[in-house]
Amino acid sequence: MSIPAAYTAVVVIWSTTPLAIQWSAQGAGFSFAVAARMLIGLAVCLLLLGATRTALPFSAGARRLYAASGLSLCVSMLLTYWGALHIPSGLISVIFGLSPLVTGVFAALWLGERTLTPQRISGLAIALAGLWLIFGQPWPGDADARLGTAAVLGGMGVQALGLVWVKRLDVGASALATTTGSLGVAVPLFVLVWLVADAGAFPAAITARAGWAIVYLGVLGSVVGFTLYYYMIKRLDAGRVALITLVTPVSALLLGQALNAERIPPAGWAGIALIGAGLVLYEWRALGRLRRHAAG
């Protein structure tokens, strides 16, 4: 696949994922929706492993990698799916846009990386101010909107921690093998949560929108998007990859308003703007390399 096509596909998938999560959770129940999505994703991964004859390492290091990635995936997605029941889908994308900042903090604390320069700390502070402003708003939705925001924020934090954990393990497995092994660990946990939360009962009725959203997330959100993202990381500079985290929250917000009748209060937009400004400042050096490349 060409780089422009892969880049466009990732932007589209990441922009539509929050809305698809919300539609699937609301139309089928959050525990069933996430378990079904991950089962589909695991089936697709196993088919791709066979079709591409990709090896699935099973050394001690690989098993630790799958366990770390699978556990973080499970906790992150459960929190996100539950939170999606209570907050606008666009806000989910905004919160996950903070992932590079939180990942940088964890990398500095756990891996000893010198990523937190004064400029990046300033960007982090501005983004946190925007998040504080968002928490103070009466978001549309039910009485658990603030709890939903906190749950999605926790899911984003667990995902960032999982990325740093995987990096710390430093196992040379392919993206497809890592995704397959992670889902192999996570899927039984998702099924267990479904058995406990809903007694293993299938939803009485699954809307067509929820059904298609589950399939979409299982194939594209869990497999294609992740694989293409790693494909781009190996072939593009950091500036171009960083642009994805700046573009997708805006496009997700617009999709939520157009397709889901979501309305963000004015002060909420101010908080979102602060988060965007913080992300730009945090990624300024990477974006500067992109500007120089474009000028040259």
Side-chain angles (χ1 to χ4, degrees):
M1 176 180 275
S2 68
I3 295 295
Y7 197 95
T8 302
V10 171
V11 170
V12 171
I13 291 170
W14 284 16
S15 298
T16 52
T17 291
L19 189 57
I21 286 176
Q22 188 175 76
W23 283 353
S24 63
Q26 290 177 341
F30 88 95
S31 63
F32 175 83
V34 69
R37 168 190 174 176
M38 298 304 169
L39 276 168
I40 293 171
L42 178 59
V44 172
C45 282
L46 291 173
L47 288 173
L48 289 175
L49 279 179
T52 61
R53 297 182 180 179
T54 301
L56 182 66
F58 209 68
S59 62
R63 292 196 299 272
R64 286 193 293 270
L65 169 67
Y66 304 150
S69 184
L71 286 172
S72 61
L73 173 67
C74 181
V75 176
S76 174
M77 286 295 99
L78 286 173
L79 288 171
T80 302
Y81 268 72
W82 184 85
L85 294 171
H86 307 288
I87 64 174
S89 65
L91 183 55
I92 298 173
S93 184
V94 171
I95 292 173
F96 269 85
L98 290 166
S99 182
L101 287 74
V102 178
T103 302
V105 173
F106 285 144
L109 295 176
W110 199 0
L111 303 180
E113 294 184 358
R114 296 183 177 180
T115 56
L116 296 180
T117 63
Q119 180 173 308
R120 283 193 154 188
I121 292 174
S122 298
L124 178 61
I126 292 172
L128 290 177
L131 187 63
W132 176 84
L133 191 59
I134 284 174
F135 261 103
Q137 301 312 306
W139 290 97
D142 57 27
D144 290 326
R146 285 190 177 87
L147 283 177
T149 303
V152 175
L153 184 62
M156 179 274 296
V158 171
Q159 183 193 68
L161 182 62
L163 289 173
V164 176
W165 193 0
V166 167
K167 186 174 181 179
R168 182 180 176 89
L169 292 172
D170 193 24
V171 178
S174 67
L176 180 58
T178 301
T179 305
T180 305
S182 303
L183 287 172
V185 171
V187 162
L189 299 177
F190 285 120
V191 172
L192 179 62
V193 170
W194 172 53
L195 292 173
V196 172
D198 295 321
F202 287 90
I206 301 177
T207 64
R209 186 174 72 174
W212 283 112
I214 290 171
V215 173
Y216 175 82
L217 291 169
V219 177
L220 296 176
S222 297
V223 182
V224 177
F226 185 83
T227 304
L228 290 179
Y229 180 65
Y230 273 88
Y231 173 79
M232 288 190 307
I233 284 178
K234 294 179 180 179
R235 291 165 175 81
L236 292 177
D237 59 77
R240 284 181 170 84
V241 177
L243 276 178
I244 297 175
T245 61
L246 300 178
V247 171
T248 51
V250 177
S251 54
L253 284 165
L254 295 176
L255 282 172
Q257 292 198 51
L259 301 179
N260 215 37
E262 296 176 357
R263 293 295 177 264
I264 308 297
W269 280 110
I272 291 167
L274 283 174
I275 289 176
L279 282 168
V280 169
L281 188 58
Y282 188 87
E283 299 286 3
W284 189 254
R285 291 185 62 184
L287 295 174
R289 289 195 295 269
L290 178 58
R291 292 195 306 273
R292 289 192 295 270
H293 180 81

